[in-house]
C-alpha cells in the first residue's frame, strides 16, 4: 500500500486531481448504468425514467451514481477545509486519493451486489473525509 501512496506527488495539484476524479465518478456510473440497461438514443428524452425502470446491475450502477453524488459534497468540502487550515499537503493527498480508490471499489461492490462489503467501503470513504475535517480542527485549535 505504501508503494501505491509513493506514486502520489506532494503537490496541491494531486488533491485537485483527486477532486476531479471523484467528481467524474458519478458520471461514469450513470453512463455504465445506461449501457448495462440497454439505453437507446430515444431514451434520452427521459433518461431518469429509463434509469428508474432498470433492474439488476444497471439499477445498482444507477444507485452507485446517486450515492456518489450524495457523498461528493462532503469530500470536496473536507479537502478544501484541510487545505484552508494548512493540513500537510502529503496527508491531504493520501486521504483524498484513498477516498477515490475506496469509492471506486464501492461502485464495483455495488454493481456486483456485495452489500456488506459495499457498506464497509462506504464507511471507510466517509472516514477519509471525516479525518480531513478532524485534522483541520486539530490544527486550528
Amino acid at each position: 500500500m505504501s508503494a501505491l501512496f509513493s506514486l502520489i506527488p506532494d503537490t496541491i495539484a494531486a488533491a485537485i486531481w483527486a477532486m476531479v476524479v471523484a467528481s467524474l465518478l458519478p458520471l461514469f456510473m450513470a453512463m455504465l448504468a445506461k449501457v448495462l440497461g440497454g439505453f437507446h438514443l430515444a431514451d434520452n428524452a427521459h433518461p431518469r425514467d429509463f434509469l428508474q425502470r432498470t433492474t439488476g446491475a444497471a439499477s445498482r450502477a444507477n444507485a452507485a451514481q446517486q450515492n456518489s453524488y450524495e457523498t461528493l459534497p462532503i469530500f470536496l468540502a473536507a479537502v478544501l477545509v484541510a487545505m484552508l487550515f494548512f493540513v500537510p499537503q502529503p496527508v491531504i493527498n493520501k486521504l483524498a486519493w484513498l477516498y477515490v480508490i475506496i469509492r471506486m471499489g464501492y461502485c464495483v461492490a455495488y454493481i456486483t451486489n456485495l452489500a456488506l462489503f459495499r457498506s464497509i467501503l462506504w464507511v471507510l470513504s466517509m472516514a477519509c473525509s471525516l479525518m480531513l475535517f478532524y485534522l483541520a480542527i486539530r490544527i486550528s485549535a
Side-chain angles (χ1 to χ4, degrees), residues 40-124:
H40 296 95
L41 198 52
D43 296 318
N44 202 40
H46 299 286
R48 290 182 182 174
D49 291 341
F50 169 81
L51 288 170
Q52 285 179 338
R53 290 190 308 270
T54 60
T55 59
S59 177
R60 291 189 299 274
N62 185 44
Q65 171 210 183
Q66 292 170 344
N67 185 267
S68 294
Y69 276 126
E70 292 165 359
T71 63
L72 185 60
I74 298 165
F75 168 69
L76 296 175
V79 172
L80 292 174
V81 165
M83 288 176 163
L84 181 67
F85 285 92
F86 302 105
V87 172
Q89 196 62 50
V91 173
I92 295 171
N93 295 351
K94 285 177 179 62
L95 286 169
W97 278 104
L98 184 58
Y99 170 89
V100 169
I101 292 166
I102 291 169
R103 290 301 301 182
M104 288 176 175
Y106 170 89
C107 291
V108 170
Y110 212 136
I111 293 167
T112 57
N113 206 20
L114 299 172
L116 178 60
F117 185 53
R118 178 191 83 219
S119 296
I120 292 168
L121 291 175
W122 184 89
V123 169
L124 291 174

Side-chain angles (χ1 to χ4, degrees), residues 19-37:
M19 293 191 299
V20 169
V21 172
S23 297
L24 292 175
L25 188 58
L27 298 174
F28 179 73
M29 287 297 103
M31 291 185 336
L32 185 59
K34 289 177 181 179
V35 168
L36 292 172

